[in-house]
């Protein structure tokens, strides 16, 4: 990471905070300056004391106290400004990640590279690529650079002073200075190489251990997970999991290997630094003995040498850390800066009280990214306004895929889907989604209060909430909750209530009905419901859905009977279409599926 890149990174991470740039520059100058103020003024105090100029010495003491006070004060203020903006950078990272994730097309979220970026972002917030620590390192790096710069100025003054005042031949001074410059360049070169190889090794070892680290983190999560606790106990998995944990600890050679490697290289590094420091001390001593510099100057230059040496060491240490973290943060940076694929379309959706939204598939084909075979093949299908349509078919026939295309989670690879005769891609995406209420097979409820789960937000219309709770038969459940509809769901916050599978499914259906969209899609909506609750949903389906257009996906064939139209998907194609009666007469796939299920019940009944 070059200095320019570091600076850009600082600006990017703390975008919008103008004071920050000034605070970093001023903080770096003051942080570096403090040690030099001390060195310069101590030297002057000693020299004036040796010359018995006590009043001047006292003046220097006052100047030193005041200068150190002011500079330190400015330095502390700058540090505070930096802290103030650097600490929220973690929150900012989370906010940016959320914004990015929310604005990404669904298809992008699924991509492996984006999943890796999400994982590394989590690492960036908490672990290897800690953003706050990175900013801190960059700040320290700049401070140390200023320190070394000051020290070089001191050395330059020393050389000029030596040339003017030393009783040493000029050629010797030139030679000693050239040697000094050469040694400095050599030590810097050695140190850059050493720190680079340490950084590379760290990254290499960390990459090697990435899988193990991930497993290690995952194991810790499931050790304390409420949902995993049942299975762990029931299947006696404790020893198995602890064994895996131990394997991770043993397999992670990172710390020992990294420690040995760093130790060896640090030794080389220190050796060269000490060699250079020793030489500069000799240089100062020669100049002092030749009368070019005073006793105070010897102290001053010695202080400057020490500051410079630690400065160089710190610069390289921070540089090394910055590059190491950068490997992780780069993935995140690239991810955040990468332009999103945008849902095309700007057409507004006409608000219609009559709900006349007609959707149709026209010769639609589709295959998932990275898969060769078409999942949907030339599907043409109209969703007639107000009609209750059942979509049935065997596992993997393409039912959910068809719904995903309808919701524009994916784009068809062939054909088009139209709303009121216009390709759905032409509509504004967010407006388009407003016409759908969907309960997915893998619906997600959140560890928030029940009412906010149903309203999908913090603004809850109590009357509407009451209506859907009654319609869906959730009143009794809600009455039994400790804080009624305000009860938190799930245990993640330590105080929630975990609904049963069926209750959760009812809450998800309630959320879909609360949205009150003209198009209702229920994908396996009653799979977790008991037969009485399921029957209740079917009996009330007309009143639940009202005049809306509804699509209903289910494997319970008896539950499809109430639909106006049944569409049978088979291997991505529409194989049959009709009412329950017409399809039964046809003796095709639907009739076979229906009879197989019915026979099972009849046989089970007969056997009972
Ligand atoms: N994201 C994906 N990437 C690749 N293939 C996928 C993806 N999602 C689903 N598939 C494949 O597409 C096919 C159709 O899946 P889909 O979920 O649409 O079937 P379905 O009819 O809803 O099945 P079920 O009745 O089991 O829910 C399956 O073979 C599935 O493995």
């Amino acid at each position: 990471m070059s200095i320019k890149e570091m600076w850009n990174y600082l600006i990017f991470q703390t975008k919008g905070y103008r004071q920050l740039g000034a605070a970093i520059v001023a903080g770096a100058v003051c942080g570096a300056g403090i040690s030099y103020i001390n060195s310069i003024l101590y030297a002057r105090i000693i020299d004036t004391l040796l010359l018995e100029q006590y009043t001047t010495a006292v003046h220097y003491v006052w100047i030193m106290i005041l200068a150190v006070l002011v500079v330190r004060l400015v330095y502390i203020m700058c540090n505070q400004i930096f802290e103030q903006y650097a600490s929220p950078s973690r929150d900012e990272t989370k906010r940016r990640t959320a914004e990015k994730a929310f604005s990404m097309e669904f298809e992008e979220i699924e991509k492996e590279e984006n999943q890796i970026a999400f994982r590394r972002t989590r690492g960036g917030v908490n672990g290897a690529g800690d953003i706050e620590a990175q900013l801190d390192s960059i700040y320290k790096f700049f401070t140390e650079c200023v320190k070394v710069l000051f020290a070089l100025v001191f050395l330059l003054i020393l050389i000029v002073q030596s040339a003017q005042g030393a009783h040493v031949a000029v050629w010797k001074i030139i030679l000693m200075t050239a040697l000094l410059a050469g040694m400095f360049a050599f030590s810097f070169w050695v140190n850059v190489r050493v720190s680079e190889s340490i950084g590379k090794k760290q990254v290499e070892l960390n990459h090697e251990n990435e899988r193990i680290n991930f497993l290690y983190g995952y194991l810790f999560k499931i050790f304390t997970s409420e949902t995993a606790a049942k299975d762990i106990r029931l299947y006696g998995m404790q020893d198995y999991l602890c064994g895996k944990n131990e394997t991770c600890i043993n397999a992670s050679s990172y710390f020992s290997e990294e420690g040995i490697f760093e130790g060896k290289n640090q030794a080389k590094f220190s050796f060269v630094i000490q060699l250079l420091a020793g030489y500069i001390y000799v240089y100062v001593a020669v100049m002092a003995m030749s009368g070019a510099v005073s006793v105070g100057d010897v102290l001053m230059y010695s202080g400057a040498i020490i500051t410079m040496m630690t400065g160089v060491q710190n610069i390289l240490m921070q540089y090394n850390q910055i590059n190491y973290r950068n490997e992780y943060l780069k993935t995140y940076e690239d991810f955040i800066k990468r332009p999103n694929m945008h849902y095309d379309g700007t057409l507004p959706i006409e608000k219609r009280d009559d709900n006349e939204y007609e959707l149709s598939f026209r010769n639609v084909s589709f295959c998932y990214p990275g898969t060769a075979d078409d999942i949907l093949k030339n599907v043409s299908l109209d969703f007639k306004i107000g009609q209750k349509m059942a979509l049935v078919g065997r596992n993997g026939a393409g039912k959910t895929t068809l719904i995903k295309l309808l919701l524009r989670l994916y784009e068809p690879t062939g054909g088009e889907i139209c709303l009121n005769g216009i390709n759905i891609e032409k509509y504004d995406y967010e407006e388009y989604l407003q016409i759908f209420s969907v309960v997915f097979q893998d619906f997600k409820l959140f560890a928030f209060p029940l009412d906010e789960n149903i309203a999908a937000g913090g603004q809850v219309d109590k009357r509407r909430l009451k209506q859907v709770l009654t319609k869906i038969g959730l009143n009794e459940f809600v009455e039994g909750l400790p804080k009624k509809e305000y009860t938190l769901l799930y245990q993640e916050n330590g105080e929630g209530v975990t609904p049963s599978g069926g209750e959760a499914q009812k809450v998800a259906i309630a959320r879909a009905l609360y949205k009150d969209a003209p198009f209702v899609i229920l994908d396996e909506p009653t799979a977790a419901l008991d037969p009485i609750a399921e029957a209740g949903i079917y009996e009330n389906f007309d009143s639940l859905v009202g005049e809306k257009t509804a699509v209903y996906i289910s494997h319970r064939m008896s539950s499809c009977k109430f639909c106006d139209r049944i569409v049978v998907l088979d291997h991505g194609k529409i194989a049959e279409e009709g009412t329950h009666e017409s399809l039964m007469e046809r003796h095709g796939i639907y009739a076979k599926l229906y009879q197989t299920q019915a026979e099972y019940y009849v046989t089970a009944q007969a056997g009972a």
Side-chain angles (χ1 to χ4, degrees), residues 110 368-369 371 375 393-402 404 410 441 555:
E110 277 200 329
Y368 282 100
T371 54
I375 301 296
R394 304 177 67 171
N395 292 126
K399 303 180 291 294
T400 303
T401 304
L402 190 140
K404 284 183 186 166
Y410 294 95
Q441 248 175 51
H555 288 292

Side-chain angles (χ1 to χ4, degrees), residues 290-363:
S290 74
V293 293
S294 65
V295 177
D297 285 343
V298 171
L299 279 176
M300 181 174 78
Y301 291 126
S302 310
I305 294 163
I306 295 169
T307 313
M308 187 178 82
M309 291 310 153
T310 49
V312 170
Q313 213 152 359
N314 287 339
I315 285 176
L316 294 168
M317 213 168 72
Q318 297 301 345
Y319 183 71
N320 181 21
Q321 286 298 314
I322 289 165
N323 277 325
Y324 164 64
R325 283 198 210 96
N326 194 39
E327 271 295 311
Y328 284 84
L329 292 169
K330 224 165 49 197
T331 325
Y332 166 71
E333 292 302 317
D334 294 348
F335 163 69
I336 288 288
K337 285 180 183 164
R338 200 184 311 148
N340 278 353
M341 276 156 65
H342 279 295
Y343 291 106
D344 296 327
T346 50
L347 263 186
I349 299 278
E350 196 190 343
K351 302 272 176 295
R352 304 183 65 123
D353 291 335
D354 56 8
N355 282 348
E356 297 268 316
Y357 297 104
E358 196 165 82
L359 279 148
S360 51
F361 276 55
R362 296 179 182 166
N363 299 319

Side-chain angles (χ1 to χ4, degrees), residues 73 128 249 264 323 359 508 517 543:
L73 202 72
I249 294 168
K264 273 190 199 160
N323 277 325
L359 279 148
S543 88

